Short mmCIF file of all heavy atoms in Angstrom, two decimals:
data_model
loop_
_atom_site.label_atom_id
_atom_site.label_comp_id
_atom_site.label_asym_id
_atom_site.label_seq_id
_atom_site.Cartn_x
_atom_site.Cartn_y
_atom_site.Cartn_z
N MET A 1 37.03 125.91 20.20
CA MET A 1 35.65 125.46 20.26
C MET A 1 35.58 123.95 20.04
O MET A 1 36.46 123.36 19.45
CB MET A 1 34.78 126.23 19.26
CG MET A 1 35.29 126.30 17.84
SD MET A 1 34.09 127.09 16.74
CE MET A 1 34.37 128.80 17.12
N THR A 2 34.49 123.39 20.49
CA THR A 2 34.32 121.94 20.41
C THR A 2 33.60 121.58 19.10
O THR A 2 32.62 122.21 18.75
CB THR A 2 33.50 121.45 21.61
OG1 THR A 2 34.14 121.91 22.80
CG2 THR A 2 33.41 119.94 21.66
N VAL A 3 34.12 120.58 18.43
CA VAL A 3 33.48 120.10 17.20
C VAL A 3 32.71 118.84 17.54
O VAL A 3 33.26 117.90 18.08
CB VAL A 3 34.52 119.80 16.09
CG1 VAL A 3 33.83 119.47 14.78
CG2 VAL A 3 35.48 120.97 15.90
N VAL A 4 31.42 118.82 17.22
CA VAL A 4 30.61 117.63 17.45
C VAL A 4 30.01 117.16 16.13
O VAL A 4 29.78 117.96 15.22
CB VAL A 4 29.47 117.89 18.47
CG1 VAL A 4 30.04 118.28 19.82
CG2 VAL A 4 28.50 118.93 17.97
N CYS A 5 29.78 115.86 16.02
CA CYS A 5 29.13 115.30 14.83
C CYS A 5 27.62 115.49 14.98
O CYS A 5 27.02 114.97 15.92
CB CYS A 5 29.46 113.82 14.66
SG CYS A 5 28.51 113.05 13.32
N ALA A 6 27.03 116.25 14.07
CA ALA A 6 25.60 116.55 14.14
C ALA A 6 24.76 115.28 14.05
O ALA A 6 23.71 115.17 14.66
CB ALA A 6 25.23 117.52 13.03
N TRP A 7 25.25 114.31 13.28
CA TRP A 7 24.52 113.05 13.09
C TRP A 7 24.52 112.24 14.37
O TRP A 7 23.49 111.72 14.78
CB TRP A 7 25.16 112.24 11.97
CG TRP A 7 25.04 112.84 10.61
CD1 TRP A 7 25.39 114.12 10.25
CD2 TRP A 7 24.56 112.21 9.43
NE1 TRP A 7 25.16 114.28 8.92
CE2 TRP A 7 24.66 113.14 8.38
CE3 TRP A 7 24.07 110.92 9.17
CZ2 TRP A 7 24.28 112.83 7.09
CZ3 TRP A 7 23.70 110.62 7.87
CH2 TRP A 7 23.80 111.57 6.85
N CYS A 8 25.71 112.08 14.98
CA CYS A 8 25.82 111.34 16.23
C CYS A 8 24.96 112.00 17.30
O CYS A 8 24.28 111.32 18.06
CB CYS A 8 27.27 111.30 16.70
SG CYS A 8 28.30 110.17 15.76
N GLN A 9 24.99 113.32 17.32
CA GLN A 9 24.22 114.07 18.32
C GLN A 9 22.73 113.75 18.16
O GLN A 9 22.03 113.55 19.13
CB GLN A 9 24.47 115.56 18.13
CG GLN A 9 24.18 116.35 19.37
CD GLN A 9 24.57 117.81 19.20
OE1 GLN A 9 24.36 118.42 18.15
NE2 GLN A 9 25.17 118.37 20.22
N ARG A 10 22.28 113.70 16.94
CA ARG A 10 20.88 113.40 16.66
C ARG A 10 20.51 112.01 17.13
O ARG A 10 19.39 111.74 17.55
CB ARG A 10 20.62 113.53 15.15
CG ARG A 10 19.22 113.99 14.84
CD ARG A 10 19.01 114.16 13.34
NE ARG A 10 19.97 115.10 12.75
CZ ARG A 10 20.29 115.11 11.45
NH1 ARG A 10 19.78 114.23 10.63
NH2 ARG A 10 21.13 115.99 10.98
N LEU A 11 21.50 111.07 17.05
CA LEU A 11 21.27 109.70 17.48
C LEU A 11 21.48 109.52 18.98
O LEU A 11 21.33 108.43 19.50
CB LEU A 11 22.22 108.76 16.72
CG LEU A 11 22.00 108.69 15.20
CD1 LEU A 11 23.12 107.89 14.55
CD2 LEU A 11 20.66 108.08 14.85
N GLY A 12 21.87 110.60 19.67
CA GLY A 12 22.10 110.53 21.10
C GLY A 12 23.38 109.81 21.45
O GLY A 12 23.52 109.24 22.53
N ARG A 13 24.33 109.77 20.49
CA ARG A 13 25.61 109.11 20.71
C ARG A 13 26.66 110.14 21.10
O ARG A 13 26.50 111.32 20.83
CB ARG A 13 26.04 108.40 19.42
CG ARG A 13 25.25 107.13 19.19
CD ARG A 13 25.34 106.64 17.78
NE ARG A 13 26.72 106.63 17.28
CZ ARG A 13 27.08 106.08 16.12
NH1 ARG A 13 26.18 105.51 15.35
NH2 ARG A 13 28.32 106.11 15.72
N PRO A 14 27.77 109.66 21.72
CA PRO A 14 28.88 110.58 22.01
C PRO A 14 29.36 111.20 20.70
O PRO A 14 29.75 110.49 19.79
CB PRO A 14 29.96 109.68 22.63
CG PRO A 14 29.26 108.45 23.06
CD PRO A 14 28.07 108.29 22.12
N ALA A 15 29.29 112.52 20.63
CA ALA A 15 29.43 113.18 19.33
C ALA A 15 30.67 114.06 19.21
O ALA A 15 30.92 114.61 18.15
CB ALA A 15 28.18 114.01 19.07
N VAL A 16 31.44 114.17 20.30
CA VAL A 16 32.58 115.10 20.27
C VAL A 16 33.67 114.57 19.35
O VAL A 16 34.16 113.46 19.53
CB VAL A 16 33.12 115.36 21.69
CG1 VAL A 16 34.34 116.27 21.64
CG2 VAL A 16 32.04 115.97 22.56
N LEU A 17 34.04 115.36 18.36
CA LEU A 17 35.08 114.97 17.41
C LEU A 17 36.44 115.53 17.82
O LEU A 17 37.46 114.99 17.43
CB LEU A 17 34.74 115.49 16.01
CG LEU A 17 33.45 114.96 15.39
CD1 LEU A 17 33.22 115.60 14.04
CD2 LEU A 17 33.48 113.46 15.26
N GLY A 18 36.45 116.64 18.51
CA GLY A 18 37.71 117.25 18.91
C GLY A 18 37.57 118.74 19.11
O GLY A 18 36.47 119.26 19.24
N GLN A 19 38.72 119.39 19.13
CA GLN A 19 38.76 120.84 19.35
C GLN A 19 39.24 121.54 18.09
O GLN A 19 39.97 120.97 17.29
CB GLN A 19 39.72 121.15 20.51
CG GLN A 19 39.32 120.51 21.83
CD GLN A 19 38.04 121.11 22.40
OE1 GLN A 19 37.82 122.30 22.33
NE2 GLN A 19 37.19 120.27 22.95
N LYS A 20 38.81 122.77 17.95
CA LYS A 20 39.16 123.55 16.77
C LYS A 20 39.50 124.96 17.23
O LYS A 20 38.99 125.42 18.25
CB LYS A 20 37.93 123.57 15.86
CG LYS A 20 38.17 124.00 14.44
CD LYS A 20 36.88 123.75 13.65
CE LYS A 20 36.60 124.88 12.69
NZ LYS A 20 35.32 124.71 12.00
N GLU A 21 40.37 125.65 16.50
CA GLU A 21 40.69 127.04 16.81
C GLU A 21 39.44 127.92 16.69
O GLU A 21 38.64 127.67 15.80
CB GLU A 21 41.75 127.56 15.82
CG GLU A 21 43.02 126.76 15.77
CD GLU A 21 44.04 127.21 16.81
OE1 GLU A 21 43.85 128.28 17.41
OE2 GLU A 21 45.00 126.48 17.03
N PRO A 22 39.26 128.92 17.52
CA PRO A 22 40.08 129.25 18.69
C PRO A 22 39.77 128.33 19.87
O PRO A 22 38.63 128.13 20.21
CB PRO A 22 39.66 130.70 18.99
CG PRO A 22 38.26 130.81 18.45
CD PRO A 22 38.16 129.84 17.30
N LEU A 23 40.83 127.76 20.45
CA LEU A 23 40.69 126.75 21.50
C LEU A 23 40.14 127.33 22.80
O LEU A 23 39.58 126.59 23.61
CB LEU A 23 42.04 126.08 21.77
CG LEU A 23 42.62 125.29 20.57
CD1 LEU A 23 43.99 124.75 20.93
CD2 LEU A 23 41.71 124.16 20.14
N ASP A 24 40.30 128.63 23.02
CA ASP A 24 39.84 129.23 24.28
C ASP A 24 38.38 129.67 24.19
O ASP A 24 37.85 130.29 25.09
CB ASP A 24 40.74 130.41 24.68
CG ASP A 24 40.82 131.48 23.60
OD1 ASP A 24 40.40 131.20 22.47
OD2 ASP A 24 41.32 132.58 23.89
N MET A 25 37.71 129.33 23.13
CA MET A 25 36.32 129.71 22.96
C MET A 25 35.43 128.52 23.32
O MET A 25 35.56 127.44 22.74
CB MET A 25 36.10 130.10 21.49
CG MET A 25 34.95 131.06 21.29
SD MET A 25 35.07 131.75 19.63
CE MET A 25 33.34 131.82 19.21
N ALA A 26 34.53 128.73 24.29
CA ALA A 26 33.68 127.63 24.75
C ALA A 26 32.43 127.56 23.89
O ALA A 26 31.31 127.71 24.36
CB ALA A 26 33.33 127.84 26.22
N ASP A 27 32.63 127.31 22.61
CA ASP A 27 31.52 127.28 21.68
C ASP A 27 31.47 125.91 21.01
O ASP A 27 32.45 125.18 21.02
CB ASP A 27 31.72 128.38 20.62
CG ASP A 27 30.39 128.95 20.14
OD1 ASP A 27 29.34 128.35 20.47
OD2 ASP A 27 30.41 129.96 19.44
N ILE A 28 30.35 125.59 20.40
CA ILE A 28 30.20 124.30 19.73
C ILE A 28 29.98 124.54 18.24
O ILE A 28 29.19 125.39 17.85
CB ILE A 28 29.03 123.50 20.34
CG1 ILE A 28 29.43 123.01 21.73
CG2 ILE A 28 28.64 122.32 19.46
CD1 ILE A 28 28.35 122.24 22.45
N THR A 29 30.72 123.81 17.44
CA THR A 29 30.52 123.86 16.00
C THR A 29 30.20 122.45 15.52
O THR A 29 30.63 121.48 16.13
CB THR A 29 31.75 124.47 15.28
OG1 THR A 29 31.45 124.60 13.89
CG2 THR A 29 32.98 123.63 15.43
N HIS A 30 29.45 122.35 14.46
CA HIS A 30 29.02 121.03 14.00
C HIS A 30 29.87 120.57 12.82
O HIS A 30 30.17 121.33 11.92
CB HIS A 30 27.54 121.04 13.63
CG HIS A 30 26.65 121.10 14.83
ND1 HIS A 30 26.10 122.27 15.29
CD2 HIS A 30 26.30 120.15 15.71
CE1 HIS A 30 25.41 122.00 16.40
NE2 HIS A 30 25.52 120.74 16.68
N GLY A 31 30.19 119.29 12.89
CA GLY A 31 30.96 118.66 11.82
C GLY A 31 30.35 117.30 11.54
O GLY A 31 29.19 117.05 11.86
N ILE A 32 31.15 116.42 10.99
CA ILE A 32 30.68 115.06 10.70
C ILE A 32 31.83 114.10 10.96
O ILE A 32 32.98 114.40 10.62
CB ILE A 32 30.11 114.97 9.26
CG1 ILE A 32 29.41 113.65 9.02
CG2 ILE A 32 31.17 115.26 8.21
CD1 ILE A 32 28.49 113.67 7.81
N CYS A 33 31.54 112.98 11.59
CA CYS A 33 32.59 112.03 11.93
C CYS A 33 32.91 111.12 10.74
O CYS A 33 32.17 111.10 9.75
CB CYS A 33 32.17 111.21 13.15
SG CYS A 33 30.80 110.08 12.82
N ASP A 34 33.99 110.36 10.85
CA ASP A 34 34.44 109.49 9.75
C ASP A 34 33.35 108.49 9.34
O ASP A 34 33.16 108.20 8.17
CB ASP A 34 35.69 108.71 10.18
CG ASP A 34 36.90 109.62 10.31
OD1 ASP A 34 36.83 110.77 9.80
OD2 ASP A 34 37.89 109.20 10.92
N GLU A 35 32.66 107.98 10.35
CA GLU A 35 31.63 106.97 10.09
C GLU A 35 30.47 107.60 9.30
O GLU A 35 30.01 107.06 8.30
CB GLU A 35 31.13 106.43 11.43
CG GLU A 35 30.19 105.26 11.28
CD GLU A 35 29.52 104.91 12.60
OE1 GLU A 35 30.14 105.11 13.66
OE2 GLU A 35 28.37 104.46 12.55
N HIS A 36 30.03 108.76 9.76
CA HIS A 36 28.88 109.38 9.11
C HIS A 36 29.21 110.01 7.77
O HIS A 36 28.34 110.16 6.92
CB HIS A 36 28.24 110.39 10.07
CG HIS A 36 27.35 109.72 11.07
ND1 HIS A 36 27.48 109.88 12.43
CD2 HIS A 36 26.34 108.83 10.87
CE1 HIS A 36 26.57 109.12 13.03
NE2 HIS A 36 25.88 108.49 12.10
N VAL A 37 30.49 110.36 7.57
CA VAL A 37 30.87 110.91 6.27
C VAL A 37 30.70 109.82 5.20
O VAL A 37 30.27 110.10 4.09
CB VAL A 37 32.30 111.50 6.33
CG1 VAL A 37 33.36 110.56 5.84
CG2 VAL A 37 32.37 112.80 5.53
N LEU A 38 30.96 108.57 5.56
CA LEU A 38 30.78 107.46 4.61
C LEU A 38 29.29 107.27 4.29
O LEU A 38 28.91 107.08 3.14
CB LEU A 38 31.35 106.16 5.20
CG LEU A 38 32.86 106.13 5.37
CD1 LEU A 38 33.27 104.84 6.06
CD2 LEU A 38 33.57 106.26 4.04
N ILE A 39 28.47 107.31 5.33
CA ILE A 39 27.02 107.17 5.14
C ILE A 39 26.49 108.32 4.29
O ILE A 39 25.71 108.12 3.36
CB ILE A 39 26.31 107.12 6.51
CG1 ILE A 39 26.75 105.87 7.28
CG2 ILE A 39 24.80 107.18 6.35
CD1 ILE A 39 26.32 105.86 8.73
N TRP A 40 26.98 109.52 4.60
CA TRP A 40 26.53 110.72 3.88
C TRP A 40 26.92 110.62 2.40
O TRP A 40 26.12 110.91 1.52
CB TRP A 40 27.15 111.95 4.55
CG TRP A 40 26.86 113.22 3.84
CD1 TRP A 40 25.68 113.92 3.87
CD2 TRP A 40 27.75 113.96 2.98
NE1 TRP A 40 25.80 115.03 3.08
CE2 TRP A 40 27.05 115.09 2.52
CE3 TRP A 40 29.07 113.76 2.57
CZ2 TRP A 40 27.63 116.02 1.67
CZ3 TRP A 40 29.63 114.70 1.72
CH2 TRP A 40 28.93 115.81 1.28
N ARG A 41 28.16 110.19 2.14
CA ARG A 41 28.62 110.05 0.75
C ARG A 41 27.77 109.03 0.00
O ARG A 41 27.41 109.25 -1.15
CB ARG A 41 30.08 109.60 0.73
CG ARG A 41 31.02 110.78 0.82
CD ARG A 41 32.41 110.35 0.35
NE ARG A 41 33.42 111.24 0.92
CZ ARG A 41 34.61 110.85 1.34
NH1 ARG A 41 34.94 109.59 1.27
NH2 ARG A 41 35.45 111.71 1.82
N ALA A 42 27.47 107.92 0.63
CA ALA A 42 26.66 106.88 0.00
C ALA A 42 25.27 107.43 -0.33
O ALA A 42 24.73 107.17 -1.41
CB ALA A 42 26.55 105.68 0.93
N GLU A 43 24.72 108.22 0.59
CA GLU A 43 23.39 108.80 0.35
C GLU A 43 23.42 109.81 -0.78
O GLU A 43 22.51 109.85 -1.61
CB GLU A 43 22.86 109.46 1.63
CG GLU A 43 22.33 108.42 2.60
CD GLU A 43 21.61 109.06 3.77
OE1 GLU A 43 21.47 110.30 3.78
OE2 GLU A 43 21.22 108.32 4.67
N VAL A 44 24.46 110.62 -0.84
CA VAL A 44 24.60 111.61 -1.91
C VAL A 44 24.71 110.90 -3.24
O VAL A 44 24.07 111.27 -4.22
CB VAL A 44 25.82 112.53 -1.66
CG1 VAL A 44 26.15 113.34 -2.91
CG2 VAL A 44 25.54 113.47 -0.50
N GLN A 45 25.52 109.84 -3.28
CA GLN A 45 25.70 109.09 -4.51
C GLN A 45 24.39 108.47 -4.96
O GLN A 45 24.05 108.51 -6.13
CB GLN A 45 26.75 108.00 -4.31
CG GLN A 45 28.03 108.33 -5.08
CD GLN A 45 29.22 107.55 -4.56
OE1 GLN A 45 29.05 106.60 -3.82
NE2 GLN A 45 30.40 107.93 -4.96
N GLN A 46 23.63 107.93 -4.01
CA GLN A 46 22.34 107.32 -4.33
C GLN A 46 21.38 108.35 -4.88
O GLN A 46 20.68 108.09 -5.85
CB GLN A 46 21.74 106.68 -3.07
CG GLN A 46 22.14 105.23 -2.94
CD GLN A 46 21.46 104.57 -1.76
OE1 GLN A 46 20.80 105.24 -0.96
NE2 GLN A 46 21.61 103.29 -1.63
N SER A 47 21.36 109.53 -4.28
CA SER A 47 20.44 110.56 -4.75
C SER A 47 20.87 111.07 -6.13
O SER A 47 20.03 111.40 -6.95
CB SER A 47 20.32 111.70 -3.74
OG SER A 47 21.49 112.47 -3.72
N LEU A 48 22.18 111.11 -6.40
CA LEU A 48 22.65 111.52 -7.72
C LEU A 48 22.25 110.49 -8.77
O LEU A 48 21.80 110.84 -9.86
CB LEU A 48 24.18 111.69 -7.72
CG LEU A 48 24.71 112.92 -6.98
CD1 LEU A 48 26.23 112.93 -7.00
CD2 LEU A 48 24.18 114.21 -7.57
N VAL A 49 22.38 109.21 -8.42
CA VAL A 49 21.97 108.14 -9.32
C VAL A 49 20.47 108.23 -9.58
O VAL A 49 20.01 108.11 -10.71
CB VAL A 49 22.36 106.76 -8.73
CG1 VAL A 49 21.68 105.62 -9.49
CG2 VAL A 49 23.87 106.58 -8.76
N GLY A 50 19.71 108.49 -8.52
CA GLY A 50 18.27 108.64 -8.64
C GLY A 50 17.90 109.77 -9.59
O GLY A 50 17.03 109.63 -10.44
N GLN A 51 18.58 110.90 -9.45
CA GLN A 51 18.31 112.06 -10.32
C GLN A 51 18.66 111.73 -11.77
O GLN A 51 17.92 112.09 -12.67
CB GLN A 51 19.14 113.26 -9.86
CG GLN A 51 18.48 113.97 -8.68
CD GLN A 51 19.37 115.08 -8.13
OE1 GLN A 51 20.39 115.40 -8.72
NE2 GLN A 51 18.98 115.64 -7.01
N ALA A 52 19.79 111.05 -11.98
CA ALA A 52 20.23 110.69 -13.33
C ALA A 52 19.20 109.79 -13.98
O ALA A 52 18.85 109.96 -15.14
CB ALA A 52 21.59 110.01 -13.28
N ASN A 53 18.67 108.85 -13.21
CA ASN A 53 17.66 107.94 -13.74
C ASN A 53 16.39 108.67 -14.14
O ASN A 53 15.73 108.31 -15.10
CB ASN A 53 17.34 106.85 -12.71
CG ASN A 53 18.46 105.83 -12.61
OD1 ASN A 53 19.30 105.73 -13.50
ND2 ASN A 53 18.45 105.07 -11.53
N ARG A 54 16.05 109.70 -13.36
CA ARG A 54 14.82 110.43 -13.63
C ARG A 54 14.94 111.28 -14.92
O ARG A 54 13.98 111.40 -15.64
CB ARG A 54 14.48 111.35 -12.44
CG ARG A 54 13.25 110.83 -11.71
CD ARG A 54 12.98 111.67 -10.47
NE ARG A 54 13.74 111.18 -9.34
CZ ARG A 54 14.29 111.99 -8.40
NH1 ARG A 54 14.16 113.28 -8.47
NH2 ARG A 54 14.95 111.46 -7.41
N THR A 55 16.15 111.84 -15.13
CA THR A 55 16.30 112.72 -16.30
C THR A 55 16.47 111.95 -17.59
O THR A 55 16.14 112.46 -18.64
CB THR A 55 17.50 113.69 -16.11
OG1 THR A 55 18.62 112.93 -15.66
CG2 THR A 55 17.20 114.77 -15.11
N VAL A 56 16.97 110.69 -17.48
CA VAL A 56 17.19 109.91 -18.71
C VAL A 56 15.87 109.35 -19.24
O VAL A 56 14.98 109.08 -18.53
CB VAL A 56 18.21 108.76 -18.47
CG1 VAL A 56 18.20 107.79 -19.65
CG2 VAL A 56 19.57 109.34 -18.26
ZN1 LIG B 101 28.72 110.76 13.55
#
Protein backbone atom coordinates (compact mmCIF):
# COMPACT_ATOMS: atom_id res chain seq x y z
CA MET A 1 0.00 0.00 0.00
CA THR A 2 1.02 3.58 -0.56
CA VAL A 3 1.96 5.75 2.41
CA VAL A 4 1.13 9.44 2.05
CA CYS A 5 1.77 12.35 4.41
CA ALA A 6 -1.64 13.56 5.59
CA TRP A 7 -0.25 17.05 6.20
CA CYS A 8 1.28 17.41 2.73
CA GLN A 9 -1.93 16.09 1.23
CA ARG A 10 -3.90 18.76 3.06
CA LEU A 11 -1.52 21.40 1.66
CA GLY A 12 -1.94 20.00 -1.85
CA ARG A 13 1.72 19.01 -1.99
CA PRO A 14 3.22 15.77 -3.34
CA ALA A 15 2.55 13.56 -0.36
CA VAL A 16 3.73 10.06 -1.28
CA LEU A 17 6.24 8.82 1.30
CA GLY A 18 6.72 5.32 -0.08
CA GLN A 19 5.34 1.82 -0.07
CA LYS A 20 4.46 -0.40 2.83
CA GLU A 21 3.59 -4.10 3.19
CA PRO A 22 1.50 -5.59 1.72
CA LEU A 23 3.00 -4.17 -1.48
CA ASP A 24 0.42 -5.80 -3.77
CA MET A 25 -2.43 -3.94 -2.08
CA ALA A 26 -3.57 -0.81 -3.93
CA ASP A 27 -4.56 0.98 -0.76
CA ILE A 28 -3.52 4.27 0.83
CA THR A 29 -2.41 4.66 4.42
CA HIS A 30 -1.58 7.94 6.10
CA GLY A 31 1.70 8.78 7.71
CA ILE A 32 3.80 11.86 8.31
CA CYS A 33 6.91 13.02 6.47
CA ASP A 34 10.23 14.05 8.07
CA GLU A 35 9.45 17.72 7.62
CA HIS A 36 6.01 17.56 9.18
CA VAL A 37 7.13 15.32 12.03
CA LEU A 38 9.37 18.21 13.15
CA ILE A 39 6.50 20.69 12.92
CA TRP A 40 4.21 18.27 14.74
CA ARG A 41 6.76 17.73 17.54
CA ALA A 42 7.21 21.48 17.98
CA GLU A 43 3.44 21.93 18.21
CA VAL A 44 3.09 19.11 20.75
CA GLN A 45 5.87 20.60 22.83
CA GLN A 46 4.25 24.04 22.69
CA SER A 47 0.90 22.66 23.76
CA LEU A 48 2.55 20.75 26.63
CA VAL A 49 4.28 23.94 27.76
CA GLY A 50 0.95 25.75 27.50
CA GLN A 51 -0.77 23.13 29.66
CA ALA A 52 2.03 23.24 32.24
CA ASN A 53 1.71 27.01 32.47
CA ARG A 54 -2.03 26.75 32.98
CA THR A 55 -1.79 24.22 35.82
CA VAL A 56 0.97 26.06 37.70
ZN1 LIG B 1 4.35 16.27 5.03
